[in-house]
Amino acid sequence: MLKVKTPRNHRVRRELEKRAPKLVENGKKTLILHGTKTSGVLNEVLKEIYHLKKGKAVKFSRKNENIKPFENGGETSLEFFSMKTDCSIFVYGSHSKKRPDNLVIGRTYDHHIYDLVEVGVENFKPMESFKYDKKLAPLIGSKPMIAFIGEGFENVEELKHFKEVLLDLLRGEVVENLNLVGLDRVYVCTAISSNRVFLSHCGLRLKKSGTKVPRMELVEVGPSMDLVVRRHRLPNDSLKKAAMKTARDQPKKKVKNVGDDAVEGKIGKIYIPDQKVGEMAVINKSKGVKRERREAKLKKSDQGHASKKQKEDST
Amino acid sequence: MENEAQFTVDLGNLMCFNPHHHFPSKPSSREELVKECLEKGTELVQIIANNLFNLPSTESVDGPLVKLPPPTTRLPREKPLPKPKAPTKWEEFAKARGIKNRKRDKLVLDEQSGTWKRRYGYDRANDEENIPIIEAKMTDEPGFDPFAKRLSDKKNRVEKQEKNRMQNLKQAAKVGNLPSHVQLAATALPITGTQAAPKKASKHDLGKVAGIAVTATASGGKFDKKLRGEKPAQQPKKFRKFLPVAEGTGIGSQERSQTERILNSLISKNSHEILNVDKAISMYNVKKEKRKNQKGKSSSTSSKLKPKTKPQKKFSKKGSSKKEKAK
């Protein structure tokens, strides 16, 4: 017997609809976790990446022994976590003698592994070691500018793939409208050699220039590290084709109660419920009340004098 | 030095890429390298800013708002494209017949009370179930309860609706189009995009597996309590045939045939004859028959009329010769 399971409350229903496949997708969430053994450096790196992507990242604190991204069987746990947390990029850190300070950055498509890049971290400098004017500190969640420098990103295949993955990881949400005041961070990625990339996170200082475009000045703020590309796995062609498919532009949603007129231009309709004039609340009661009070007082005083006189008479 | 037009700018992602910078093979020192990287970075960021600030901006409360163009670098999606909703049975029927959805009023005039009540729900207008008195028709039997009939009618209608809904959902699940908040409970998978439902095991497969499971006990499943209706295990076993104890004096015919068979197989294994006479004879006979059949077909007479010439079964020469040798 097949039973239909639907969520009992609307909150769960809304969550499920958020996670359903859509034409225009939500921004990718990042999953940060580590394997059996991590080094001090790696712990710091993972912590800083989590801070940089706060709000759109999930960090697991336990060690995961059975995750081996590059092996056939070691991916099931990762896919399970990706499904549960709805994250499609993951950063997995591990440390071993053969691969010290190892980071595996991977992406998933439909909660299956799409591609992987394995990098080693060297010359890591945490955020605390940089001294700068506190006003320049970038806010959490601001959209970053990304700069890629170096011919390696164009010529070397591994670095090309790594550039794509870095862009996906660092870019944040895709927005249509941007507030120019909120530009305050830059990621600078330079391909120093054919397998080494220098990544640095900088804050922006906008200086006045003659024109309306301000002069940019970079101040090193956040973590900076050297990433050495070790292994990588490209997606297989059929999966790549399926993932790169985009639907043609959907016709814009019809806005209700708005119409176009050739002569008058844009016309809007507003519906107002019937007004019950008798039951409406009067805003400024005090003046009217005061006048009424005064009149009432006068009336009373007349009556009161009359009654007092009567009393005196009686007693 | 580099030509600005050679930089790739992706405004939608606020990205700028300089593919032409060549770093000296021996970097001077770490700090110099960092400085150079930052300088180059500043250049690129300046270019992005130039492009950004030249976009048409609108003033808002917080500051100048700029409408970004869509990003140009193609990045892979995280989930597959949503499939269009498959039409339900009613929708297909309505489309075929040309039935369009009418817009109805929220409030309807209730004839009985003369007020405006809602069209459906609690305290609805023209509610058939609120009639306190139902007149009996001439065709009704005595003892017929119209109120009970009303209740059972409603129950049947609700069941039919549920059945139709289940059918629609099952159809959608087959295609892979289940709405995101619905889950069919027999398939206990987490709700996700395109994971296909696992195929159901067939009766035969289940029986086989159950049989294996049952015999996986220390006593081979012989003494387990069987459920009502469970058939005994059908495992093909090799049975040893024991000859009857008393058959007659001396070696009986059954024993003889058994020993003969064993001897034959043993001796044939050790023989070095290239030609298997038995097999050759049977092959020759089969070929002869085939030829005869073909001849029979080519000629108009049916083979049934012809006298059947069965090939004589020649006794195993090989065996007899061996017996002589053994003697």
Side-chain angles (χ1 to χ4, degrees):
Chain A
M1 274 286 285
L2 276 179
K3 260 198 191 173
V4 182
K5 272 170 90 173
T6 43
R8 291 297 188 93
N9 41 356
H10 279 282
R11 180 177 59 89
V12 180
R13 193 194 169 116
R14 269 177 269 136
E15 276 299 320
L16 286 174
E17 281 178 8
K18 265 193 220 168
R19 293 190 178 193
K22 295 181 206 156
L23 261 181
V24 178
E25 292 184 321
N26 314 331
K28 292 189 180 180
K29 287 212 283 198
T30 314
L31 177 64
I32 303 175
L33 34 58
H34 61 92
T36 335
K37 206 170 158 200
T38 39
S39 56
V41 169
L42 206 60
N43 279 335
E44 293 268 330
V45 173
L46 291 176
K47 208 164 54 160
E48 307 245 318
I49 295 180
Y50 176 61
H51 277 308
L52 288 177
K53 300 207 79 191
K54 205 106 182 248
K56 279 273 180 177
V58 176
K59 183 165 187 288
F60 283 175
S61 49
R62 285 211 197 147
K63 65 181 183 186
N64 304 290
E65 292 170 344
N66 51 353
I67 296 184
K68 296 181 175 73
F70 277 90
E71 284 172 37
N72 258 332
E75 307 169 332
T76 43
S77 250
L78 267 177
E79 294 180 355
F80 175 72
F81 289 143
S82 153
M83 186 150 19
K84 279 287 176 173
T85 53
D86 196 33
C87 290
S88 43
I89 317 183
F90 64 86
V91 177
Y92 169 75
S94 68
H95 177 79
S96 69
K97 214 170 182 183
K98 189 176 175 191
R99 292 179 229 274
D101 296 336
N102 204 21
L103 270 185
V104 179
I105 310 176
R107 295 183 286 182
T108 60
Y109 173 71
D110 195 21
H111 305 296
H112 293 297
I113 302 272
Y114 178 73
D115 63 359
L116 303 162
V117 179
E118 186 178 55
V119 287
V121 178
E122 289 176 20
N123 300 329
F124 173 67
K125 275 194 178 173
M127 280 197 265
E128 291 95 35
S129 63
F130 290 98
K131 295 196 176 63
Y132 52 89
D133 186 10
K134 287 302 169 188
K135 286 187 212 162
L136 294 174
L139 295 170
I140 292 177
S142 57
K143 189 152 171 76
M145 296 207 252
I146 313 175
F148 288 101
I149 310 168
E151 57 184 7
F153 282 128
E154 181 92 10
N155 302 334
V156 184
E157 203 204 290
E158 292 178 334
L159 286 188
K160 229 180 175 177
H161 182 218
F162 188 40
K163 171 171 169 274
E164 197 189 316
V165 175
L166 267 182
L167 182 62
D168 218 350
L169 180 68
L170 298 173
R171 72 166 167 169
E173 268 195 57
V174 181
V175 284
E176 239 191 61
N177 297 319
L178 182 69
N179 190 346
L180 293 176
V181 174
L183 285 173
D184 54 3
R185 58 167 91 196
V186 182
Y187 289 104
V188 179
C189 317
T190 9
I192 308 175
S193 72
S194 65
N195 65 346
R196 194 179 271 258
V197 172
F198 169 67
L199 171 67
S200 166
H201 175 231
C202 307
L204 266 187
R205 189 189 275 154
L206 307 174
K207 286 199 162 161
K208 278 199 184 154
S209 74
T211 57
K212 68 174 174 178
V213 181
R215 201 158 59 84
M216 298 283 169
E217 206 180 285
L218 295 182
V219 177
E220 267 203 273
V221 158
S224 82
M225 56 189 105
D226 273 5
L227 300 169
V228 181
V229 176
R230 285 178 185 155
R231 294 188 277 184
H232 75 131
R233 191 203 283 180
L234 290 165
N236 54 350
D237 281 330
S238 57
L239 203 56
K240 189 170 185 182
K241 248 193 197 173
M244 291 292 206
K245 245 197 246 180
T246 44
R248 260 173 269 148
D249 277 23
Q250 231 190 358
K252 276 196 180 163
K253 263 196 170 177
K254 202 177 167 197
V255 185
K256 279 189 175 177
N257 297 324
V258 171
D260 260 324
D261 194 24
V263 176
E264 292 171 35
K266 208 176 185 185
I267 300 181
K269 278 190 204 172
I270 307 176
Y271 295 95
I272 311 178
D274 287 334
Q275 281 183 324
K276 293 180 186 160
V277 185
E279 289 170 25
M280 275 180 9
V282 182
I283 309 166
N284 205 357
K285 263 189 181 174
S286 44
K287 263 193 183 171
V289 170
K290 267 191 186 167
R291 203 186 305 136
E292 280 174 6
R293 269 193 181 168
R294 262 186 269 139
E295 286 175 9
K297 261 189 185 173
L298 280 172
K299 273 191 193 169
K300 261 193 184 173
S301 59
D302 289 339
Q303 285 178 3
H305 285 315
S307 63
K308 270 184 180 170
K309 277 181 183 169
Q310 280 181 355
K311 274 186 183 173
E312 283 169 7
D313 284 343
S314 61
T315 51
Chain B
M1 281 197 289
E2 283 95 4
N3 197 359
E4 263 196 29
Q6 287 168 348
F7 296 172
T8 333
V9 177
D10 179 0
L11 263 189
N13 279 330
L14 295 183
M15 183 197 65
C16 188
F17 174 35
N18 173 4
H20 296 285
H21 187 85
H22 178 69
F23 276 92
S25 42
K26 277 192 186 164
S28 19
S29 84
R30 176 92 189 152
E31 286 164 353
E32 293 231 359
L33 188 65
V34 170
K35 223 166 75 176
E36 198 184 339
C37 293
L38 286 188
E39 272 175 34
K40 290 287 166 199
T42 326
E43 262 183 52
L44 290 185
V45 169
Q46 192 65 50
I47 293 167
I48 303 178
N50 290 345
N51 287 354
L52 261 186
F53 280 83
N54 286 331
L55 283 175
S57 72
T58 52
E59 278 295 320
S60 86
V61 185
D62 307 314
L65 270 185
V66 148
K67 188 163 178 203
L68 286 177
T72 52
T73 23
R74 282 180 68 197
L75 290 167
R77 289 176 60 95
E78 56 172 344
K79 290 184 186 132
L81 286 165
K83 290 193 201 123
K85 255 171 69 172
T88 58
K89 266 186 94 178
W90 167 253
E91 284 172 2
E92 284 175 6
F93 178 77
K95 205 170 154 191
R97 287 294 201 93
I99 302 172
K100 291 226 169 83
N101 200 13
R102 277 185 293 143
K103 259 267 185 179
R104 292 170 226 261
D105 298 325
K106 260 197 218 173
L107 297 175
V108 186
L109 180 62
D110 180 26
E111 285 148 5
Q112 202 240 328
S113 64
T115 53
W116 289 88
K117 290 191 180 176
R118 60 197 88 180
R119 214 171 58 77
Y120 57 85
Y122 175 72
D123 190 27
R124 49 182 173 271
N126 303 328
D127 191 0
E128 284 174 358
E129 291 165 11
N130 274 350
I131 309 169
I133 304 169
I134 301 179
E135 286 184 28
K137 287 187 278 192
M138 294 297 283
T139 50
D140 284 341
E141 294 173 4
F144 167 69
D145 186 2
F147 298 101
K149 182 171 183 303
R150 261 215 309 237
L151 280 174
S152 62
D153 274 346
K154 170 141 192 192
K155 205 173 169 190
N156 287 338
R157 266 182 281 136
V158 169
E159 273 178 21
K160 179 172 178 287
Q161 178 58 32
E162 263 305 302
K163 195 174 68 133
N164 287 343
R165 178 171 166 246
M166 279 301 293
Q167 289 289 82
N168 278 332
L169 285 173
K170 272 194 232 176
Q171 189 63 33
K174 232 198 282 180
V175 181
N177 242 341
L178 214 50
S180 54
H181 54 271
V182 175
Q183 189 185 16
L184 290 181
T187 65
L189 285 172
I191 303 172
T192 180
T194 53
Q195 280 189 1
K199 276 196 193 140
K200 281 191 185 168
S202 66
K203 185 175 169 181
H204 177 71
D205 286 336
L206 278 176
K208 228 196 311 182
V209 171
I212 295 171
V214 153
T215 54
T217 54
S219 52
K222 263 206 306 188
F223 303 110
D224 286 341
K225 259 194 196 163
K226 284 207 171 35
L227 294 169
R228 197 159 60 106
E230 189 181 334
K231 292 179 193 159
Q234 288 176 345
Q235 291 280 338
K237 285 185 192 167
K238 281 188 189 166
F239 290 106
R240 280 191 69 187
K241 194 173 172 187
F242 291 105
L243 297 172
V245 176
E247 208 201 301
T249 53
I251 298 179
S253 64
Q254 279 182 342
E255 217 175 320
R256 173 184 280 146
S257 53
Q258 193 187 45
T259 42
E260 218 180 79
R261 230 182 302 133
I262 295 171
L263 270 174
N264 278 343
S265 62
L266 277 174
I267 289 164
S268 67
K269 274 190 199 167
N270 291 328
S271 77
H272 297 288
E273 268 192 18
I274 302 166
L275 177 65
N276 184 349
V277 184
D278 270 351
K279 204 168 179 181
I281 292 169
S282 54
M283 278 174 78
Y284 177 73
N285 288 335
V286 164
K287 270 192 184 168
K288 217 165 139 188
E289 258 192 55
K290 269 195 187 165
R291 249 182 280 142
K292 276 197 178 168
N293 282 344
Q294 276 182 351
K295 271 193 195 165
K297 277 184 192 165
S298 58
S299 64
S300 50
T301 52
S302 66
S303 55
K304 278 188 185 170
L305 291 175
K306 274 194 183 169
K308 277 191 180 172
T309 50
K310 264 190 185 174
Q312 266 192 352
K313 196 173 183 186
K314 292 181 187 171
F315 281 98
S316 49
K317 263 193 205 169
K318 190 183 79 171
S320 53
S321 65
K322 293 300 154 354
K323 270 187 186 164
E324 285 170 15
K325 278 189 187 170
K327 281 181 186 166

mmCIF file of all heavy atoms in Angstrom, chain B residues 305-327:
data_model
loop_
_atom_site.group_PDB
_atom_site.id
_atom_site.type_symbol
_atom_site.label_atom_id
_atom_site.label_comp_id
_atom_site.label_asym_id
_atom_site.label_seq_id
_atom_site.Cartn_x
_atom_site.Cartn_y
_atom_site.Cartn_z
ATOM 1 N N LEU B 305 3.750 -40.748 -44.857
ATOM 2 C CA LEU B 305 3.374 -41.937 -45.627
ATOM 3 C C LEU B 305 4.546 -42.892 -45.786
ATOM 4 O O LEU B 305 4.375 -44.095 -45.899
ATOM 5 C CB LEU B 305 2.864 -41.510 -47.013
ATOM 6 C CG LEU B 305 1.520 -40.778 -46.992
ATOM 7 C CD1 LEU B 305 1.179 -40.291 -48.390
ATOM 8 C CD2 LEU B 305 0.422 -41.691 -46.475
ATOM 9 N N LYS B 306 5.705 -42.292 -45.846
ATOM 10 C CA LYS B 306 6.876 -43.148 -46.045
ATOM 11 C C LYS B 306 7.083 -44.015 -44.827
ATOM 12 O O LYS B 306 6.810 -43.591 -43.709
ATOM 13 C CB LYS B 306 8.112 -42.266 -46.242
ATOM 14 C CG LYS B 306 8.312 -41.847 -47.657
ATOM 15 C CD LYS B 306 9.721 -41.293 -47.806
ATOM 16 C CE LYS B 306 9.915 -40.806 -49.206
ATOM 17 N NZ LYS B 306 11.141 -40.041 -49.332
ATOM 18 N N PRO B 307 7.562 -45.211 -45.043
ATOM 19 C CA PRO B 307 7.824 -46.069 -43.883
ATOM 20 C C PRO B 307 8.962 -45.465 -43.070
ATOM 21 O O PRO B 307 9.981 -45.075 -43.588
ATOM 22 C CB PRO B 307 8.213 -47.407 -44.497
ATOM 23 C CG PRO B 307 8.659 -47.081 -45.876
ATOM 24 C CD PRO B 307 7.904 -45.890 -46.321
ATOM 25 N N LYS B 308 8.724 -45.415 -41.812
ATOM 26 C CA LYS B 308 9.743 -44.810 -40.957
ATOM 27 C C LYS B 308 10.915 -45.751 -40.817
ATOM 28 O O LYS B 308 10.733 -46.909 -40.453
ATOM 29 C CB LYS B 308 9.151 -44.553 -39.564
ATOM 30 C CG LYS B 308 8.389 -43.267 -39.502
ATOM 31 C CD LYS B 308 8.063 -42.919 -38.056
ATOM 32 C CE LYS B 308 7.297 -41.631 -38.018
ATOM 33 N NZ LYS B 308 6.807 -41.341 -36.688
ATOM 34 N N THR B 309 12.028 -45.289 -41.129
ATOM 35 C CA THR B 309 13.219 -46.118 -40.982
ATOM 36 C C THR B 309 14.002 -45.611 -39.788
ATOM 37 O O THR B 309 14.758 -44.658 -39.854
ATOM 38 C CB THR B 309 14.100 -46.040 -42.232
ATOM 39 O OG1 THR B 309 14.283 -44.644 -42.519
ATOM 40 C CG2 THR B 309 13.430 -46.704 -43.409
ATOM 41 N N LYS B 310 13.751 -46.278 -38.691
ATOM 42 C CA LYS B 310 14.476 -45.868 -37.492
ATOM 43 C C LYS B 310 15.874 -46.432 -37.564
ATOM 44 O O LYS B 310 16.052 -47.588 -37.923
ATOM 45 C CB LYS B 310 13.774 -46.446 -36.261
ATOM 46 C CG LYS B 310 12.820 -45.489 -35.619
ATOM 47 C CD LYS B 310 12.350 -46.025 -34.286
ATOM 48 C CE LYS B 310 11.302 -45.099 -33.725
ATOM 49 N NZ LYS B 310 10.716 -45.659 -32.509
ATOM 50 N N PRO B 311 16.810 -45.596 -37.242
ATOM 51 C CA PRO B 311 18.182 -46.138 -37.255
ATOM 52 C C PRO B 311 18.344 -47.138 -36.128
ATOM 53 O O PRO B 311 17.908 -46.919 -35.009
ATOM 54 C CB PRO B 311 19.045 -44.902 -37.043
ATOM 55 C CG PRO B 311 18.153 -43.931 -36.358
ATOM 56 C CD PRO B 311 16.773 -44.216 -36.833
ATOM 57 N N GLN B 312 18.970 -48.221 -36.458
ATOM 58 C CA GLN B 312 19.147 -49.265 -35.446
ATOM 59 C C GLN B 312 20.124 -48.784 -34.405
ATOM 60 O O GLN B 312 21.205 -48.298 -34.727
ATOM 61 C CB GLN B 312 19.693 -50.525 -36.113
ATOM 62 C CG GLN B 312 18.610 -51.485 -36.514
ATOM 63 C CD GLN B 312 19.204 -52.806 -36.900
ATOM 64 O OE1 GLN B 312 20.430 -52.961 -36.999
ATOM 65 N NE2 GLN B 312 18.350 -53.778 -37.134
ATOM 66 N N LYS B 313 19.725 -48.978 -33.160
ATOM 67 C CA LYS B 313 20.615 -48.529 -32.108
ATOM 68 C C LYS B 313 21.657 -49.611 -31.909
ATOM 69 O O LYS B 313 21.340 -50.730 -31.498
ATOM 70 C CB LYS B 313 19.811 -48.296 -30.827
ATOM 71 C CG LYS B 313 20.558 -47.477 -29.811
ATOM 72 C CD LYS B 313 19.705 -47.111 -28.628
ATOM 73 C CE LYS B 313 20.525 -46.232 -27.704
ATOM 74 N NZ LYS B 313 19.793 -45.973 -26.471
ATOM 75 N N LYS B 314 22.872 -49.274 -32.228
ATOM 76 C CA LYS B 314 23.940 -50.272 -32.083
ATOM 77 C C LYS B 314 24.436 -50.234 -30.669
ATOM 78 O O LYS B 314 24.658 -49.177 -30.091
ATOM 79 C CB LYS B 314 25.073 -49.956 -33.065
ATOM 80 C CG LYS B 314 24.615 -50.167 -34.496
ATOM 81 C CD LYS B 314 25.723 -49.872 -35.481
ATOM 82 C CE LYS B 314 25.150 -49.945 -36.875
ATOM 83 N NZ LYS B 314 26.075 -49.481 -37.868
ATOM 84 N N PHE B 315 24.597 -51.416 -30.122
ATOM 85 C CA PHE B 315 25.027 -51.450 -28.727
ATOM 86 C C PHE B 315 26.446 -50.957 -28.602
ATOM 87 O O PHE B 315 27.230 -51.007 -29.522
ATOM 88 C CB PHE B 315 24.909 -52.872 -28.183
ATOM 89 C CG PHE B 315 23.495 -53.184 -27.831
ATOM 90 C CD1 PHE B 315 22.687 -53.884 -28.710
ATOM 91 C CD2 PHE B 315 22.961 -52.744 -26.629
ATOM 92 C CE1 PHE B 315 21.379 -54.162 -28.390
ATOM 93 C CE2 PHE B 315 21.649 -53.020 -26.322
ATOM 94 C CZ PHE B 315 20.855 -53.733 -27.208
ATOM 95 N N SER B 316 26.755 -50.486 -27.433
ATOM 96 C CA SER B 316 28.041 -49.811 -27.234
ATOM 97 C C SER B 316 29.172 -50.783 -27.493
ATOM 98 O O SER B 316 29.462 -51.656 -26.673
ATOM 99 C CB SER B 316 28.124 -49.252 -25.824
ATOM 100 O OG SER B 316 27.741 -50.267 -24.898
ATOM 101 N N LYS B 317 29.746 -50.606 -28.642
ATOM 102 C CA LYS B 317 30.877 -51.465 -28.991
ATOM 103 C C LYS B 317 32.021 -51.207 -28.024
ATOM 104 O O LYS B 317 32.719 -52.069 -27.606
ATOM 105 C CB LYS B 317 31.345 -51.110 -30.410
ATOM 106 C CG LYS B 317 30.788 -51.996 -31.484
ATOM 107 C CD LYS B 317 31.553 -51.749 -32.774
ATOM 108 C CE LYS B 317 30.694 -52.108 -33.966
ATOM 109 N NZ LYS B 317 31.291 -51.636 -35.216
ATOM 110 N N LYS B 318 32.138 -49.935 -27.724
ATOM 111 C CA LYS B 318 33.261 -49.528 -26.885
ATOM 112 C C LYS B 318 33.219 -50.267 -25.559
ATOM 113 O O LYS B 318 34.190 -50.829 -25.108
ATOM 114 C CB LYS B 318 33.186 -48.007 -26.677
ATOM 115 C CG LYS B 318 34.418 -47.418 -26.015
ATOM 116 C CD LYS B 318 34.256 -45.949 -25.764
ATOM 117 C CE LYS B 318 33.407 -45.744 -24.548
ATOM 118 N NZ LYS B 318 33.376 -44.355 -24.117
ATOM 119 N N GLY B 319 32.008 -50.251 -24.966
ATOM 120 C CA GLY B 319 31.890 -50.881 -23.652
ATOM 121 C C GLY B 319 32.236 -52.364 -23.715
ATOM 122 O O GLY B 319 32.988 -52.900 -22.901
ATOM 123 N N SER B 320 31.687 -53.012 -24.704
ATOM 124 C CA SER B 320 31.905 -54.466 -24.796
ATOM 125 C C SER B 320 33.379 -54.773 -25.041
ATOM 126 O O SER B 320 33.950 -55.688 -24.449
ATOM 127 C CB SER B 320 31.037 -55.045 -25.916
ATOM 128 O OG SER B 320 31.280 -54.333 -27.103
ATOM 129 N N SER B 321 33.975 -53.958 -25.883
ATOM 130 C CA SER B 321 35.397 -54.207 -26.147
ATOM 131 C C SER B 321 36.207 -54.044 -24.877
ATOM 132 O O SER B 321 37.113 -54.791 -24.580
ATOM 133 C CB SER B 321 35.903 -53.280 -27.248
ATOM 134 O OG SER B 321 35.844 -51.950 -26.791
ATOM 135 N N LYS B 322 35.800 -53.037 -24.109
ATOM 136 C CA LYS B 322 36.538 -52.798 -22.856
ATOM 137 C C LYS B 322 36.365 -53.978 -21.915
ATOM 138 O O LYS B 322 37.281 -54.382 -21.212
ATOM 139 C CB LYS B 322 36.027 -51.518 -22.173
ATOM 140 C CG LYS B 322 36.336 -50.274 -22.925
ATOM 141 C CD LYS B 322 37.824 -50.106 -23.083
ATOM 142 C CE LYS B 322 38.176 -49.270 -24.299
ATOM 143 N NZ LYS B 322 37.197 -48.856 -25.199
ATOM 144 N N LYS B 323 35.118 -54.480 -21.910
ATOM 145 C CA LYS B 323 34.853 -55.613 -21.006
ATOM 146 C C LYS B 323 35.762 -56.787 -21.345
ATOM 147 O O LYS B 323 36.320 -57.433 -20.475
ATOM 148 C CB LYS B 323 33.390 -56.048 -21.161
ATOM 149 C CG LYS B 323 32.465 -55.320 -20.225
ATOM 150 C CD LYS B 323 31.076 -55.916 -20.301
ATOM 151 C CE LYS B 323 30.147 -55.076 -19.467
ATOM 152 N NZ LYS B 323 28.761 -55.351 -19.772
ATOM 153 N N GLU B 324 35.901 -56.957 -22.668
ATOM 154 C CA GLU B 324 36.763 -58.060 -23.088
ATOM 155 C C GLU B 324 38.173 -57.823 -22.610
ATOM 156 O O GLU B 324 38.836 -58.711 -22.108
ATOM 157 C CB GLU B 324 36.735 -58.189 -24.608
ATOM 158 C CG GLU B 324 35.425 -58.817 -25.100
ATOM 159 C CD GLU B 324 35.293 -58.718 -26.595
ATOM 160 O OE1 GLU B 324 36.319 -58.440 -27.263
ATOM 161 O OE2 GLU B 324 34.181 -58.919 -27.082
ATOM 162 N N LYS B 325 38.578 -56.564 -22.754
ATOM 163 C CA LYS B 325 39.947 -56.222 -22.343
ATOM 164 C C LYS B 325 40.130 -56.430 -20.852
ATOM 165 O O LYS B 325 41.113 -56.972 -20.396
ATOM 166 C CB LYS B 325 40.244 -54.759 -22.675
ATOM 167 C CG LYS B 325 40.644 -54.541 -24.105
ATOM 168 C CD LYS B 325 41.129 -53.113 -24.312
ATOM 169 C CE LYS B 325 41.373 -52.868 -25.783
ATOM 170 N NZ LYS B 325 41.619 -51.457 -26.066
ATOM 171 N N ALA B 326 39.074 -55.991 -20.133
ATOM 172 C CA ALA B 326 39.189 -56.101 -18.666
ATOM 173 C C ALA B 326 39.317 -57.559 -18.255
ATOM 174 O O ALA B 326 40.038 -57.902 -17.323
ATOM 175 C CB ALA B 326 37.962 -55.464 -18.008
ATOM 176 N N LYS B 327 38.600 -58.357 -18.965
ATOM 177 C CA LYS B 327 38.681 -59.799 -18.663
ATOM 178 C C LYS B 327 40.096 -60.305 -18.923
ATOM 179 O O LYS B 327 40.648 -61.040 -18.164
ATOM 180 C CB LYS B 327 37.722 -60.564 -19.567
ATOM 181 C CG LYS B 327 36.286 -60.491 -19.086
ATOM 182 C CD LYS B 327 35.355 -61.283 -19.977
ATOM 183 C CE LYS B 327 33.912 -61.076 -19.550
ATOM 184 N NZ LYS B 327 32.989 -61.553 -20.551
#
